[in-house]
Amino acid sequence: MDNGNALRVLVVGATGLVGQGVLQACLQSANVARVAALVRRPGSVAGNVDEIVLPDFLRAATLGDALSGFDACFYCAGAPPVGTPEAEYRQVTLQVTRAVADAWVAANPEGCFLYVSGAHANPASRIMPLRVKGETEQALAQLPLHTVMLRPAGVRPVSGTGTRHALLKPFYLLARPLMAVAEGLLPALTTSNRAIGQAMIALAGMPAPPAVVECAQINRLARGPSGR
């Protein structure tokens, strides 16, 4: 992609563990011309980022033209799979995502919607988070535009990013060094939040991106053409 075709990107979930790395990748990329973030409160993100403030994402349709003018939506929001009751997890993962996606598609019918799902997402899974993620993928695949489902496995937070969930902070503190090693040795099992963003940028620049991108392919895309 040359700079004349640099992307205009909306990031949803920019304050979460994945979204922080995706936002970092966007701000560091010469292939991204504009970055905006859909946030619930003003002042949620720092840097050269436009904020679109909406306290309740279920009301995304009320934003109208405020969502227009983008080439891609990088959807990184979601509830933690550990410690979240199923009803809440379903609302945040499926209902909220679909509400934002429907509003974004109406405003950007020629765009691309990229969704951070998870490894082994499957609507028939017996494991609740995987089942709901799979149902969300199915719903998004019906949208009348290009959709891409990214399925990372373990996600390592890079420097300057981290989780806000107290239950998960000790895990990432202990696991971060091991995940960094595993990322190189076992790319199908681990990636970083910044690599997810780099892969999203590469995918959004493709005329016909793949519908599903697994963890190892996320890492290859993040490394660029020499890593494919």
Side-chain angles (χ1 to χ4, degrees):
M1 183 190 305
D2 60 46
N3 288 344
N5 294 321
L7 298 165
R8 298 162 296 175
V9 174
L10 175 68
V11 180
V12 183
T15 61
L17 183 145
V18 172
Q20 291 172 52
V22 169
L23 185 64
Q24 188 181 104
C26 290
L27 292 173
Q28 294 174 351
S29 175
N31 292 325
V32 177
R34 178 195 174 199
V35 185
L38 181 63
V39 297
R40 292 182 173 84
R41 291 172 293 276
S44 294
V45 294
N48 187 23
V49 180
D50 299 325
E51 289 186 331
I52 300 173
V53 180
L54 182 66
D56 182 1
F57 285 6
L58 282 170
R59 295 177 53 81
T62 64
L63 290 171
D65 289 342
L67 288 179
S68 65
F70 294 98
D71 302 300
C73 179
F74 294 172
Y75 197 98
C76 313
V82 178
T84 305
E86 181 171 354
E88 179 183 350
Y89 191 85
R90 177 173 295 277
Q91 181 183 52
V92 173
T93 303
L94 178 56
Q95 297 173 13
V96 173
T97 303
R98 187 58 195 267
V100 174
D102 286 343
W104 191 86
V105 170
N108 303 278
E110 303 300 320
C112 182
F113 193 94
L114 298 96
Y115 173 66
V116 179
S117 181
H120 309 297
N122 185 339
S125 176
R126 295 182 179 180
I127 301 173
M128 183 274 291
L130 302 184
R131 181 172 64 254
V132 177
K133 285 278 191 180
E135 292 172 4
T136 305
E137 288 189 1
Q138 279 190 334
L140 294 176
Q142 302 305 311
L143 294 172
L145 83 172
H146 286 307
T147 57
V148 181
M149 315 302 163
L150 291 94
R151 294 177 176 173
V155 178
R156 173 178 64 89
V158 300
S159 178
T161 71
T163 182
R164 297 172 298 161
H165 299 285
L167 189 64
L168 297 176
K169 284 182 179 180
F171 167 78
Y172 284 110
L173 182 64
L174 295 172
R176 190 193 301 247
L178 295 175
M179 294 176 77
V181 174
E183 198 172 322
L185 298 177
L186 302 168
L189 299 181
T190 307
T191 188
S192 72
N193 52 1
R194 184 170 57 207
I196 293 172
Q198 292 166 333
M200 286 176 136
I201 294 167
L203 290 160
M206 297 179 183
V212 177
V213 179
E214 304 288 352
C215 194
Q217 191 176 1
I218 290 172
N219 286 319
R220 287 195 296 271
L221 288 166
R223 290 193 296 268
S226 62
R228 297 182 196 181

